[in-house]
Amino acid sequence: MTIVTTAAEATAARPALRPHWVNIVGISFYHLVAALAFFPYFFSWTAVIVAAAGTFVFGTIGINVFYHRYLTHKGFQSPKWFEKWMAVMAICSFQDTPAHWVAVHRRHHEYADDEPDPHTPVRSFLWAHVGWILVHSPDMSRYEIYARYAKDVLRDPFLRSLENQRVYLGIIVAHWFVFFGAGAGWTLISGGTGAEALQFGLGLVVWGVFVRTVFNWHNTWAVNSVSHMWGYRNYETDEHSRNNVVLGLTAMGEGWHNNHHADPRSARHGHRPWEIDVTYWTIRLFGVMGLAWRITEPMISPGGGAVKTKPAQ
Ligand SMILES: [Zn+2]
Ligand SMILES: [Zn+2]
């Protein structure tokens, strides 16, 4: 066994990385299509509102509520049918399958800011933000990390079925057409021309799918990069997690990341009164609607209580 003592030796000891062309092409394609939003042809206020609403439905509910606080950390419980709906919303955010997202994130908690952390900012800001997604890391092969971190997710037949890449990509592509069909169909029903239907439908796709997805990506990625580098700390955890005020707001509560590392299971990441946590409020709303129960509250508070560090879940 090689004993690594310096940063240079750690770099040399890393296995060679191969480009992940599917992710490189997919992420580039989404950014290019999202850039069409700069052309007035695709603009309408309806499309902007649809993008904002989509950020909440697919990003806040799909990724923050479902992938992160529900599936990874088991911060609350929910009915099976609602779990399936949230899973489909998460898939449309194009952040990989439930088992993969959960496995990567549990590994992050276990090794946060050390070399085996999948998106450790120790390598660089860009690596933590997106670089890690653009390469095949040999120690991150799907089946290796699934066996260790995502067995519980894969026991569920529906969530396991989403591992089929045809099903996974099929849902993503299908939702492009739902957005286009809704826009074009509404225009035609309202007496618009074919050209107007095409324009409005494409506008909804550019804003409602591509701009929204890219915005969600950078919010999620920034939790891994920005909130492990910049912000304040309520808790002296044994990694570098930070509470970042900007990200706390734009990522709907996920930016209170130091609180989250200190108490990962809690469904509430905002621990101080002014740490606004829209994701937690959404879970509370689900509770009122009978869609969430056993919602886990923080076990610690700033200035008092024990700090738990680096648990796997
Ligand atoms: Zn973290
Ligand atoms: Zn987490």
Side-chain angles (χ1 to χ4, degrees):
M1 189 179 129
T2 314
I3 297 172
V4 174
T5 53
T6 66
E9 283 173 356
T11 305
R14 269 180 222 142
L17 301 173
R18 288 182 297 113
H20 193 308
W21 288 112
V22 173
N23 285 357
I24 292 170
V25 170
I27 288 170
S28 304
F29 174 70
Y30 260 66
H31 279 78
L32 285 173
V33 177
L36 292 175
F38 289 109
F39 290 90
Y41 175 84
F42 298 101
F43 179 84
S44 67
W45 283 110
T46 308
V48 174
I49 291 166
V50 165
T55 297
F56 178 73
V57 172
F58 300 99
T60 304
I61 297 178
I63 300 299
N64 301 359
V65 170
F66 183 68
Y67 270 10
H68 193 199
R69 303 194 194 188
Y70 179 83
L71 213 52
T72 306
H73 295 295
K74 304 190 186 304
F76 65 99
Q77 294 182 0
S78 227
K80 275 286 167 195
W81 69 267
F82 192 58
E83 186 184 304
K84 290 188 175 77
W85 178 78
M86 289 193 290
V88 173
M89 296 304 106
I91 295 286
C92 294
S93 293
F94 207 0
Q95 293 194 17
D96 220 311
T97 61
H100 192 266
W101 203 101
V102 166
V104 166
H105 191 66
R106 284 179 180 165
R107 188 175 169 95
H108 165 66
H109 274 272
E110 187 173 9
Y111 292 107
D113 295 336
D114 288 338
E115 189 61 30
D117 176 357
H119 34 71
T120 177
V122 167
R123 291 193 185 185
S124 73
F125 172 84
L126 267 182
W127 171 264
H129 194 71
V130 65
W132 68 279
I133 304 169
L134 305 179
V135 296
H136 288 282
S137 297
D139 59 336
M140 288 292 293
S141 82
R142 207 165 272 266
Y143 296 102
E144 219 168 284
I145 59 169
Y146 280 8
R148 179 152 177 204
Y149 297 104
K151 275 185 187 158
D152 56 325
V153 177
L154 293 171
R155 265 196 296 273
D156 182 286
F158 180 74
L159 297 180
R160 193 171 61 242
S161 74
L162 299 173
E163 289 303 303
N164 181 320
Q165 289 296 297
R166 280 190 200 157
V167 174
Y168 171 68
L169 293 173
I171 291 171
I172 291 168
V173 173
H175 104 289
W176 302 351
F177 286 97
V178 169
F179 273 73
F180 177 78
W186 176 258
T187 308
L188 292 174
I189 290 168
S190 313
T193 64
E196 287 168 341
L198 180 70
Q199 182 176 8
F200 188 55
L202 289 176
L204 285 198
V205 173
V206 166
W207 281 90
V209 173
F210 288 87
V211 171
R212 177 260 300 172
T213 300
V214 168
F215 179 73
N216 280 347
W217 275 346
H218 285 283
N219 267 314
T220 302
W221 298 345
V223 173
N224 301 332
S225 56
V226 173
S227 65
H228 271 267
M229 298 174 99
W230 297 291
Y232 65 91
R233 284 161 70 80
N234 282 337
Y235 305 101
E236 286 307 314
T237 53
D238 60 358
E239 25 60 35
H240 306 296
S241 60
R242 298 281 193 274
N243 291 327
N244 185 284
V245 175
V246 174
L247 213 50
L249 300 175
T250 61
M252 305 295 174
E254 295 290 90
W256 313 121
H257 201 56
N258 172 247
N259 296 345
H260 174 53
H261 271 277
D263 190 358
R265 184 120 190 267
S266 168
R268 177 153 71 90
H269 291 191
H271 287 193
R272 294 187 189 272
W274 47 269
E275 290 169 348
I276 294 168
D277 187 351
V278 174
T279 301
Y280 170 69
W281 294 347
T282 305
I283 295 169
R284 275 280 155 208
L285 178 65
F286 289 160
V288 172
M289 296 164 73
L291 299 172
W293 57 88
R294 292 196 181 174
I295 300 169
T296 311
E297 292 292 327
M299 293 169 62
I300 52 175
S301 59
V307 178
K308 298 184 296 177
T309 51
K310 289 191 181 176
Q313 302 182 14

